[in-house]
Amino acid sequence: MKDILQELENRREQARLGGGQKRIDAQHGRGKLTARERIELLVDEGTFEEFDMFVAHRCTDFGMEKNRPYGDGVVTGWGTVNGRVIYVFSQDFTVLGGSVSATHAMKICKIMDMAVQNGAPVIGINDSGGARIQEGVDSLAGYGEVFQRNIMASGVIPQISVIMGPCAGGAVYSPAMTDFIFMVKDSSYMFVTGPDVVKTVTNEVVTAEELGGASTHTKKSSVADAAFENDVEALAEVRRLVDLLPLNNQDKPPVRPFFDDPDRVEPSLDTLIPDNPNMPYDMKELILKTADEADFYEIQEDFAKNIITGFIRLEGRTVGVVANQPMVLAGCLDIDSSRKAARFVRFCDAFEIPILTFVDVPGFLPGTGQELGGVIKHGAKLLFAYGEATVPKVTVITRKAYGGAYDVMSSKHLRGDFNYAWPTSEIAVMGAKGATEIIHRADLGDEEKIAAHTADYESRFANPFAAAERGFIDEVIQPRSTRKRVARAFAALRGKKLVNPWKKHDNIPL
């Protein structure tokens, strides 16, 4: 019996070593952790249970039968994050470069199937050289099986991808279909074709970092949601995100203890809006002063900064926040901000996370670049996302809400539940000057008349009361009481039930 137990321990030790100590040292030398070290940082201490430790590939071509390491380049299993179950796979770059074989993919698929079956998030830690060339189409078939599971799990369980090394070719499409993608600066990259192929085909000379590094994907392409300095910080932030999310689409987000009075008033908000309507202010100040303990988990902070998306807690419960940012492009909606916010709203709706919208939007960004880029279709994505969402929706208009952008930003007409406005808000088709010049174009040469017409328009429409008279605004509230009113609104909406007409699926304007 002792011999058998010793053999088991020897085999486990061999599996834990992955590609051997030399390759582990090389991984550390690049500032990267090993697959198992990453999992230990991600899950609560001592909770990781590994599956398929002894799985080995079945390839016999190109002498591969002589090199059959345990685990086959991926560590899979389950554990807990703050006591809640998650499933995880972590690719091991020390074993055959973390390349994906048929059995490697089979291990990932097994974990994803278990995650869906048991209603728990799946977290994928990607660090792979791509498809295992020696296996040919078997490797591609493995990728295809993983892709199909990503699709079936979408909107059922949260899927989080952490890119901690190379991710190239077909490998990028699995993370692309997950809900959140995090990268590590200077050690991770994603692209469909690498710099060498780009140079061969197009004669463009580009580095891996420029083509698919963390900065590129967080600031320009919007492929990634955030980038962090190292593996440790990235995994700590993943833990923080998991703690905000429900385990699945039948579950509610976790309720955490809070130490912030829901009735807290913030007198400083009464002076947040500048007297000059063209002066910017920082919308993040309002978000932080509304949230429990001023805690805000921002999503895609470095992309389309004219709109802010992320999670806060109110009375210990997760709420998704979408807010125009007057500091950037005056808070205008454009192609990038519409796409960013639409995807976030759809995630919140899929997982029953209530949505809080802060509005200060002068309209859609004008220009040929926007029109030729399809701003109509992209703007419609955000409109569609808000309109189809059935979760509790609370909206606060702080200043400008002009034109179609007023409708788009979770207005009463898109089934907003509680629509509040500050006294400083202006709800109109457009600004007073532009409106006056259209309505009274016959008086354009007379500055006194135009000034009088403008003042008249402002007194009629540059306030929230015309909308409030029609019931489009439920109440005009004091800025200082925003946290209290919003918290009470969401408390009142906890039992909300709204079902859209049956359909196989919608046809959102992609």
Side-chain angles (χ1 to χ4, degrees), residues 56-69 134:
H57 70 76
R58 296 186 286 271
C59 180
T60 55
D61 295 318
F62 307 103
M64 288 294 288
E65 70 276 3
K66 296 170 190 163
N67 184 15
R68 300 180 70 235
Q134 294 90 334

Side-chain angles (χ1 to χ4, degrees), residues 412-481:
K412 181 62 79 178
H413 326 290
L414 298 182
R415 304 190 298 187
D417 295 299
F418 282 65
N419 290 70
Y420 292 134
W422 286 6
T424 48
S425 63
E426 306 169 20
I427 304 164
V429 175
M430 61 174 68
K433 186 173 184 296
T436 302
E437 288 174 357
I438 292 169
I439 297 168
H440 303 284
R441 63 166 60 90
D443 296 333
L444 276 179
D446 191 327
E447 287 187 20
E448 279 189 22
K449 279 188 178 180
I450 288 294
H453 291 318
T454 302
D456 178 52
Y457 188 92
E458 283 177 347
S459 67
R460 287 196 199 187
F461 297 111
N463 60 64
F465 300 109
E469 283 175 17
R470 288 159 177 77
F472 303 149
I473 294 298
D474 295 304
E475 193 172 355
V476 181
I477 64 170
Q478 290 183 323
R480 67 173 61 198
S481 68

Side-chain angles (χ1 to χ4, degrees), residues 306-332:
N306 44 324
I307 207 157
I308 302 166
T309 56
F311 299 105
I312 63 171
R313 285 194 178 92
L314 282 174
E315 298 189 75
R317 298 167 189 267
T318 303
V319 172
V321 176
V322 178
N324 306 115
Q325 173 58 292
M327 302 280 285
V328 182
L329 295 175
C332 275

Side-chain angles (χ1 to χ4, degrees), residues 19-234:
Q21 192 59 48
K22 187 176 174 184
R23 286 184 178 156
I24 289 172
D25 292 343
Q27 182 87 338
H28 289 161
R30 288 190 286 266
K32 295 160 67 176
L33 299 175
T34 65
R36 281 188 168 78
E37 287 169 342
R38 287 164 174 167
I39 290 175
E40 291 301 327
L41 276 176
L42 174 66
V43 301
D44 299 334
E45 189 175 353
T47 65
F48 181 59
E49 299 277 349
E50 187 170 350
F51 285 143
D52 296 331
M53 180 183 267
F54 302 121
V55 163
H57 70 76
R58 296 186 286 271
C59 180
T60 55
D61 295 318
F62 307 103
M64 288 294 288
E65 70 276 3
K66 296 170 190 163
N67 184 15
R68 300 180 70 235
Y70 285 142
D72 201 25
V74 64
V75 181
T76 61
W78 68 276
T80 64
V81 172
N82 289 330
R84 301 162 76 230
V85 172
I86 60 107
Y87 288 81
V88 61
F89 67 86
S90 181
Q91 293 178 317
D92 188 349
F93 197 78
T94 70
V95 177
L96 301 169
S99 58
V100 175
S101 67
T103 46
H104 179 122
M106 179 197 76
K107 287 180 65 174
I108 293 174
C109 290
K110 183 174 177 178
I111 280 297
M112 294 180 74
D113 288 341
M114 294 185 78
V116 172
Q117 180 180 303
N118 295 301
V122 65
I123 298 168
I125 301 173
N126 295 263
D127 189 359
S128 167
R132 193 170 299 166
I133 296 168
Q134 294 90 334
E135 294 207 12
V137 73
D138 280 347
S139 172
L140 301 181
Y143 271 130
E145 294 288 341
V146 174
F147 298 159
Q148 184 62 46
R149 281 161 177 81
N150 286 128
I151 294 162
M152 300 319 291
S154 183
V156 179
I157 56 170
Q159 301 180 79
I160 300 171
S161 296
V162 195
I163 314 299
M164 290 190 154
C167 192
V172 297
Y173 288 113
S174 175
M177 289 186 284
T178 60
D179 299 305
F180 300 100
I181 300 175
F182 296 128
M183 297 183 74
V184 178
K185 294 174 184 175
D186 303 321
S187 67
S188 68
Y189 50 84
M190 301 174 72
F191 37 64
V192 176
T193 51
D196 295 339
V197 177
V198 170
K199 185 179 179 184
T200 302
V201 176
T202 69
N203 286 325
E204 292 175 280
V205 177
V206 64
T207 65
E209 187 61 35
E210 291 167 339
L211 187 62
S215 178
T216 297
H217 286 314
T218 52
K219 295 176 183 175
K220 296 177 185 174
S221 73
S222 83
V223 167
D225 295 287
F228 303 105
E229 294 297 330
N230 52 54
D231 288 8
V232 177
E233 186 185 346

Side-chain angles (χ1 to χ4, degrees), residues 281-287 308 323-326 358 360 398:
Y281 61 93
D282 191 354
M283 187 65 88
K284 283 187 188 176
E285 183 179 339
L286 173 56
I287 295 170
I308 302 166
N324 306 115
Q325 173 58 292
F358 289 125
D360 184 354
T398 61

Side-chain angles (χ1 to χ4, degrees), residues 362-382:
F364 280 89
L365 186 66
T368 55
Q370 289 291 308
E371 295 293 352
L372 298 179
V375 68
I376 295 170
K377 265 275 173 79
H378 295 293
K381 290 175 184 174
L382 182 54

